[in-house]
Each structure stands twice: as C-alpha cells, then as structure tokens.
Amino acid sequence: MSSGFNFTGFYATWFDHLRHLIHQLSSTTTAAKENRSSTTDDLRHLVHTVMSHYSDYYHVKSLAAERDPLSVFSAPWATSLERSLHWIAGWRPTTTFHLIYTESSILFESRIVDILHGLRTGDLGDLSPSQFCRVSELQCQTVEEENAITDELSEWQDNVSELIGTRTELTEKVEGLVSIIKKADDLRLRTVQKVVELLTPKQAVEFLIAAAELQFGVRGWGLNQDRERSNNRDGN
C-alpha cells in the first residue's frame, strides 16, 4: 500500500470529522443567538479543537510528504476542481484574507442599520480598526512568504528539468520537494492560526465556519464534476 493511498484514506476520515466539528460550531452559534447558553469559554474551546484538527492534518501530511513527495504534490485525495485551484498541494494562504474581507463586508451590510445606531454586533461585520490594521499587516507578510515559496518552487522545477536522464541526481532533487511542501503547509496553518488569534472567539467561530463551508462547497462541486465525467466516459 503506497503512502499516497494511506494519506487519501486519512483525508477522507479527517474530512468527515471536520464536518462534525463544524456542525458543532454552527449548533453552538445558533444556541448562543437563541438563549445565550454558550459562554465565551465554550466558543474558545471549540475553536481550539478545530485548530488542533487542522494541525493534525498538516502533521500527517508532512509525514506522507517525507515518504512520497510526488504523490502528495499531485494530491490524489483531491478532486480535479480542487487540484485546479491548488497552490503547492493545497489552498493559497492569501485566500484567508479574501474570505475575511468578503464575510466582513456581507455581515456589515446586513447589520449596517444597527452599526450606524452605535449597536455593536460583535461578529465579523464588526471588526475594529485595530483588527483591520492587523489583518492588513498579516496579509502583506503572507503575500511576501507566499511569493518566496513560489519562487523556490520555480527554481526547483528549473533545476529538475536540467537533470532529466540522470536518475540518481533526479531522485535527490525530488527529495527537495519535501521542504517546499512543508513550507507551503506551514504558511497555510500559521496564517489561519494568526487570523484566529486576532479575532474574538465569536468572530473566530464565524470565520472557521465560513472557511469550512467554502471547502465543503468546492469539494462537493468537484466530486459531482468528476462523477459526471466518469459517467460520460463509461457511457461512451
């Protein structure tokens, strides 16, 4: 059994558990709106649990990359649609900021009357100037790191293309891909962790739900497309 196949199995289980955790977040948020039975500590605990789940994912992926970097880079666990959107075997870290700004704008517009009357909603539509400043600073730092890793991958690809035909050297170069994959995944995880840290527990819950729903939506659409493509091939 290949390491790529092992990770694919792990991902399926991990993804199912992520759905369960996000359902917990949504249920807790709903309960808080209805009767405020959930405390800040409850929300903080759930956020910590979800972040630990993401950390586990990247830890196992790191081990899989060490065993078979080419398999992990090709991301066999992902759908064709997901792979078309990938940046080094995963989502672009800067996607985090597009999500924050989009969710904040949507919620701000829906609560604008309350906000103009001085009522604080405490959600992502109610980010403080200080929070916006920190998000902007983090975005700039993330863009720089993302670009640096992209340049490193480009250099790696150029070096490998020059070694076609020399099997031993090519094998050694392929092993260098492990470092690039790990750097990309480390940036992905650190970006989410830093964003969550600068949000309130309520805002962090809303952010994690939005991020997961985006992930669920893209994967669901991708699975449907792959299924239709497979059916069309079988029909022909």
Side-chain angles (χ1 to χ4, degrees), residues 18 21 30 34 45 59 71 76-77 81 90 100 111 116 128 144 155 158 160 169 180 188-189 192 208 234-235:
L18 178 63
L21 291 176
T30 300
E34 293 177 350
H45 173 72
H59 174 67
S71 177
W77 63 87
L81 175 61
I100 280 283
R111 310 277 201 280
L116 289 177
S128 68
E144 289 182 5
E155 182 179 354
D158 289 341
V160 169
E169 290 181 296
I180 296 174
R188 278 185 269 264
L189 181 59
V192 176
L208 291 174
D234 293 341

Side-chain angles (χ1 to χ4, degrees), residues 104-154:
S104 180
S105 296
I106 292 173
L107 288 171
F108 177 81
E109 291 176 4
S110 67
R111 310 277 201 280
I112 189 167
V113 175
D114 290 337
I115 293 174
L116 289 177
H117 282 84
L119 298 177
R120 301 301 301 271
T121 59
D123 56 22
L124 283 176
D126 193 22
L127 292 175
S128 68
S130 174
Q131 286 177 311
F132 269 118
C133 182
R134 292 167 65 190
V135 168
S136 179
E137 291 174 352
L138 181 57
Q139 181 180 14
C140 291
Q141 295 170 6
T142 304
V143 168
E144 289 182 5
E145 288 193 62
E146 192 177 278
N147 288 340
I149 297 172
T150 298
D151 290 343
E152 186 174 348
L153 175 63
S154 179

Side-chain angles (χ1 to χ4, degrees), residues 69-111:
L70 290 179
S71 177
V72 171
F73 189 79
S74 64
W77 63 87
T79 64
S80 299
L81 175 61
E82 288 172 304
R83 285 192 290 272
S84 73
L85 301 173
H86 273 180
W87 171 79
I88 312 181
W91 51 273
R92 277 188 175 274
T94 45
T95 302
T96 302
F97 304 101
H98 298 310
L99 184 63
I100 280 283
Y101 293 136
T102 298
E103 289 296 311
S104 180
S105 296
I106 292 173
L107 288 171
F108 177 81
E109 291 176 4
S110 67
R111 310 277 201 280

Side-chain angles (χ1 to χ4, degrees), residues 162-176:
E162 295 173 359
L163 295 173
I164 298 300
T166 56
R167 183 177 298 274
T168 300
E169 290 181 296
L170 183 59
T171 299
E172 293 177 353
K173 283 293 182 181
V174 168
E175 292 175 353

